[in-house]
Amino acid sequence: MPVVPLKPVDRVERISVMDNYIDVLMGDTAVAKRHKRERDALARPQLRDEHGVSMLVTTYDGGNKDSFLFDTGVTVDGVLHNMDVLEIKGNELHAVVLSHGHTDHTRGLMGFIKRYGRPKVPIVLHPDAYLKRKNVQPDGHESEHFPPSKKDLEAEDVQIIEERGPTMLIADHALVTGQIPRTTAFEKGSPRQVALIDGEWQPDPWIHDDQAIVINVKDRGLVVLTGCGHAGVINTLNCARELTGVSRIHAVIGGFHLTGPIFEPVIAPTVQALKEFNPGVIVPQHCTGWKATHLIAREFPEAFTPNSVGTTMIIGA
C-alpha cells in the first residue's frame, strides 16, 4: 500500500452534531468540552439525539481553519436542527463525507442540500454507498436500509466525488481512507446483510464502502474517526497506519459496531488488540454498545472519554 503524504495540523476539533446519547449535565475533561447551557437554556431549542452519527471536523494549521461534515444522521432534519442549536453554518463547510451508505449516516444529506440550495460543497463517498441493502434475520424478519440516491444528488447539481481509494481534503490535512483492507481474523463484517446487485439480492457482509477519516496532529499522532466501523476498528487503525506511514495512533473516535449478539463475541479480541495501539483518547459512540463501552472504560481508564451530542473533542495545541 503506497504511503499518502498526510500533512500534520496543529489541532483538530470534532463536534458531535448527532449521536445516540445526550447528557446535558456531563462535565468537561482535558479533551472534551461539553455544550454550554446558558441561563435560559431550557427556553431554547434543545439538542436532539437519534440512532445516527454526524460530526463537524475542524482542522487548525497556523492561521488556517477548515471544516467538513462527516455523516448526516438518520432523519432528514435532525442534524440540521442540531447545527442550528450549535450555530454551525453549513454553507461554510469544505465538504460532506459519508462513512458508508447506511441510512443512519446518510438520510440527513438531502435535507442539508435542500437547506443550502446547491451549495457546491463536494459530497465524498464510496461508489457502493448507493447500494440498496437489508438485514435478514434467521426468523425471516427483514430491515431495509435506504441509501442516498445518485439520481437525486445529480438532480441537485452538487459535486460528487466517488472514490474506492483514499481521498485528500482541506489542503491534504485530512484523509478519507477509502475501502479498508480486512486483515484481522475476528472482524468479519455483517453476515446477515444482503445487497441488491445486478438486480438480485446477494450476500454483502463486508460493506466495502465503510471508510474513516484520518488526521495527523503534530506531536500527538493520528486521530482516526469512524462512522460505524463496519470494516472493524482494528482493521481501520491498521489501514490508517499503513496509508500514512505514521505508527502512533493518538485518538480513535466513533462507532465501533460491537453491539448485539453477532458482534459481542468480537468485543474481547477488539479490546485486546486496542491495547497494542495504546491510544491516548478513546471515544466509543453510536453502535459500539454498552458492553463494549464498559469494557473499554475499564481497560482504558485514562483514555476513555464518554460522548454526548454537542461535545467538542479537542486534540492538539
Side-chain angles (χ1 to χ4, degrees):
M1 183 181 294
V3 173
V4 177
L6 180 60
K7 296 179 181 178
V9 300
D10 296 324
R11 184 171 86 252
V12 60
E13 296 183 0
R14 185 241 53 176
I15 299 177
S16 179
V17 182
M18 184 60 73
D19 196 12
N20 296 35
Y21 183 74
I22 290 177
D23 181 350
V24 298
L25 302 179
M26 194 178 288
D28 292 347
T29 74
V31 297
K33 305 304 176 187
R34 311 301 179 181
H35 180 58
K36 297 302 181 186
R37 304 181 75 211
E38 305 297 337
R39 180 177 298 179
D40 62 343
L42 295 180
R44 300 184 179 195
Q46 302 295 297
L47 289 170
R48 301 176 186 171
D49 57 8
E50 63 186 30
H51 182 81
V53 170
S54 181
M55 311 180 194
L56 179 74
V57 185
T58 304
T59 62
Y60 297 82
D61 184 56
N64 296 319
K65 170 186 173 183
D66 286 288
S67 298
F68 62 93
L69 197 66
F70 185 40
D71 284 344
T72 61
V74 73
T75 60
V76 174
D77 65 337
V79 164
L80 288 175
H81 171 86
N82 285 352
M83 287 175 66
D84 289 342
V85 175
L86 296 167
E87 299 181 350
I88 296 169
K89 296 178 173 60
N91 55 2
E92 296 179 358
L93 298 179
H94 179 87
V96 176
V97 181
L98 299 182
S99 65
H100 62 300
H102 282 171
T103 313
D104 46 336
H105 299 257
T106 65
R107 198 170 188 187
L109 179 60
M110 289 308 296
F112 176 90
I113 292 171
K114 294 291 186 183
R115 160 79 71 88
Y116 293 103
R118 306 183 191 277
K120 302 300 182 184
V121 176
I123 311 300
V124 182
L125 47 71
H126 185 290
D128 285 2
Y130 300 121
L131 288 175
K132 292 183 178 180
R133 291 168 163 142
K134 59 185 178 181
N135 291 324
V136 182
Q137 304 303 324
D139 63 1
H141 176 74
E142 298 181 355
S143 56
E144 188 171 354
H145 283 285
F146 302 95
S149 166
K150 185 173 184 177
K151 181 179 179 181
D152 289 347
L153 290 176
E154 289 176 340
E156 294 295 336
D157 194 29
V158 297
Q159 181 182 355
I160 305 171
I161 300 175
E162 296 177 13
E163 290 288 348
R164 294 185 184 274
T167 302
M168 299 295 286
L169 300 175
I170 49 179
D172 296 343
H173 285 139
L175 169 67
V176 185
T177 61
Q179 193 163 313
I180 295 169
R182 313 305 170 91
T183 59
T184 66
F186 53 89
E187 294 172 315
K188 298 295 187 181
S190 298
R192 293 177 180 168
Q193 181 172 269
V194 296
L196 189 62
I197 302 172
D198 297 328
E200 296 182 0
W201 288 104
Q202 301 181 27
D204 180 39
W206 294 113
I207 314 177
H208 287 302
D209 46 316
D210 184 83
Q211 53 189 1
I213 303 293
V214 184
I215 298 168
N216 186 12
V217 179
K218 294 174 185 176
D219 302 322
R220 297 291 201 284
L222 299 181
V223 174
V224 181
L225 307 173
T226 65
C228 261
H230 287 294
V233 66
I234 303 305
N235 283 332
T236 301
L237 297 181
N238 285 332
C239 177
R241 274 180 166 177
E242 292 182 16
L243 278 174
T244 63
V246 178
S247 60
R248 172 63 177 149
I249 303 290
H250 178 70
V252 54
I253 302 170
F256 303 162
H257 214 282
L258 295 170
T259 191
I262 291 178
F263 299 99
E264 286 175 3
V266 185
I267 293 173
T270 298
V271 173
Q272 185 61 39
L274 275 172
K275 291 181 180 180
E276 299 177 14
F277 292 94
N278 192 30
V281 177
I282 305 178
V283 186
Q285 297 181 212
H286 182 47
C287 54
T288 304
W290 288 114
K291 288 185 178 180
T293 299
H294 289 165
L295 184 59
I296 290 169
R298 185 163 67 246
E299 296 295 323
F300 298 90
E302 299 300 321
F304 170 72
T305 304
N307 190 56
S308 174
V309 174
T311 292
T312 301
M313 297 290 173
I314 304 171
I315 310 294

